[in-house]
Amino acid sequence: MNKEEKLIDLHTHTRYSDGDLFPDELIRLSIEKGIDTIAITDHDTIEGIKHVNRNDSLIIDSKIKIINGIELSAKVPKGRMHILGYDIDLKNKELNKKMEELQNNSINSVLSIIEQIKRDYSIIFTYQELKELVNAPHNLGRPDIAKLIVKNGYAKTIQEAFDLYLIEAYQKTRGNNKGLSYPECINLILNSGGIPVLAHPHSLELSEKKLLLLIKEMINNGLQGIEVYHSNHTKEQTELYLKIAHKYNLLISGGTDYHGKSVKPDIELATGIKGNIRIRSLSILNHIKTK
């Protein structure tokens, strides 16, 4: 594959958060897909990117560039806000301490949701299932519960589990979530030497006017970029976010938000949903020290 055909994917997940693949498997797939630059951005953890063996001969021979990343969840009254952090220092003490706290919080959050669906829908998991869940080597999230729901026959797919049970249960329990505010997310990324970027703005579920007001406020708090290209963005949304990036001098980022076949089966690494994105250049890469 020649240089012009090389692709970029700055939004991917491994099994250390809620993806299907281990980091080495994700890197191998990236090389097969013709990806030149990839960022591993697991939810609220840096364990996945830490487990990438950069001395692996496959990585060295392919010359694939791997960016240290994370996707932090921020508390918002409605919708979902995620802040991507790129080029972070994986040895930063403050970052590592906060990751440990978030892992403990994720366990409590998931157990609250499990209690809620037990009350509302009489969905009960075995002691062994809960024990394995709590001891999983990654930050827990709703996809972990969804997999148990499917396994026990309460839903046929992960998406159906969300639609039938988890979206409502999350809304009822989100007040128990001890997550971070968005200024805390941004500061954590900045203090670890990283670049904070607003992920998939559409998930905030805001009007254009309210989104612009929020973004201006976030810029005042240190936001440096916006995820313009994403598998779930419509053409109109992509154009809007590109316009916002230019208006406020924000760095442009993008990626597929790849998780794997069991969590987001419609999203392919490097090319999104039915080839709807093929990223070959991003302004943010001019500010990142790829390794």
Side-chain angles (χ1 to χ4, degrees):
M1 183 170 287
N2 63 46
K3 187 175 179 60
E4 287 71 29
E5 292 176 309
K6 289 289 186 178
L7 299 172
I8 299 164
D9 198 335
L10 300 190
H11 195 157
T12 69
H13 297 274
T14 75
R15 288 186 69 168
Y16 285 91
S17 63
D18 56 348
D20 282 343
L21 303 180
F22 285 107
D24 60 334
E25 295 173 324
L26 179 62
I27 297 301
R28 281 201 300 271
L29 181 59
S30 300
I31 294 168
E32 291 171 12
K33 292 276 189 178
I35 290 176
D36 176 68
T37 306
I38 186 171
I40 291 178
T41 53
D42 282 322
H43 292 287
D44 303 317
T45 181
I46 52 176
E47 290 306 306
I49 187 64
K50 278 184 175 181
H51 279 80
V52 173
N53 178 12
R54 297 175 194 267
N55 295 317
D56 185 284
S57 59
L58 185 64
I59 290 175
I60 294 171
D61 293 343
S62 70
K63 297 182 180 179
I64 187 171
K65 293 180 278 292
I66 303 167
I67 297 169
N68 296 339
I70 192 168
E71 185 174 15
L72 293 171
S73 304
K75 291 186 295 185
V76 285
K78 75 165 191 171
R80 291 179 299 117
M81 178 187 282
H82 290 164
I83 311 290
L84 291 157
Y86 295 112
D87 212 17
I88 51 177
D89 177 7
L90 301 181
K91 295 180 180 178
N92 181 273
K93 291 182 179 178
E94 180 189 358
L95 179 64
N96 279 274
K97 182 180 178 182
K98 186 58 69 174
M99 292 305 99
E100 189 175 337
E101 290 178 21
L102 290 178
Q103 184 172 21
N104 292 332
N105 290 346
S106 74
I107 294 172
N108 294 331
S109 177
V110 160
L111 291 178
S112 293
I113 293 173
I114 286 173
E115 276 300 309
Q116 191 67 47
I117 62 174
K118 179 181 176 181
R119 285 194 294 270
D120 290 348
Y121 306 107
S122 299
I123 292 176
I124 300 173
F125 304 127
T126 67
Y127 170 78
Q128 186 61 34
E129 286 172 331
L130 294 177
K131 182 180 177 182
E132 289 175 2
L133 188 67
V134 170
N135 291 315
H138 61 266
N139 279 14
L140 299 181
R142 287 181 293 167
D144 292 290
I145 309 173
K147 289 174 185 176
L148 281 180
I149 289 172
V150 172
K151 176 187 171 186
N152 284 276
Y154 295 106
K156 293 179 181 178
T157 64
I158 299 288
Q159 188 58 54
E160 187 176 60
F162 270 83
D163 293 341
L164 292 177
Y165 314 111
L166 294 178
I167 293 174
E168 183 177 351
Y170 174 70
Q171 293 297 332
K172 289 182 177 180
T173 61
R174 69 189 304 168
N176 302 329
N177 182 9
K178 297 179 181 179
L180 304 173
S181 66
Y182 84 74
E184 287 177 307
C185 292
I186 290 174
N187 284 332
L188 190 62
I189 293 165
L190 290 172
N191 291 342
S192 61
I195 300 172
V197 171
L198 176 62
H200 42 67
H202 72 282
S203 69
L204 288 164
E205 300 175 12
L206 295 175
S207 66
E208 183 177 335
K209 182 179 179 181
K210 288 184 177 180
L211 177 62
L212 288 172
L213 289 171
L214 175 62
I215 286 175
K216 284 195 281 188
E217 182 183 285
M218 294 181 77
I219 290 170
N220 290 334
N221 280 275
L223 185 74
Q224 295 180 0
I226 183 170
E227 188 173 45
V228 170
Y229 305 102
H230 184 276
S231 298
N232 294 125
H233 287 174
T234 64
K235 183 180 178 182
E236 292 74 23
Q237 286 171 333
T238 299
E239 290 173 354
L240 171 62
Y241 305 146
L242 191 59
K243 179 178 159 186
I244 291 171
H246 292 318
K247 181 176 182 178
Y248 296 110
N249 199 27
L250 289 167
L251 298 174
I252 295 169
S253 186
T256 59
D257 203 354
Y258 176 79
H259 285 68
K261 295 297 182 185
S262 73
V263 182
K264 295 186 177 181
D266 55 336
I267 296 178
E268 294 286 346
L269 187 67
T271 55
I273 300 173
K274 296 181 180 178
N276 67 337
I277 58 173
R278 291 178 183 270
I279 304 169
R280 291 185 171 85
S281 66
L282 292 169
S283 64
I284 194 170
L285 291 179
N286 297 325
H287 300 260
I288 291 176
K289 303 180 292 293
T290 53
K291 300 168 180 69

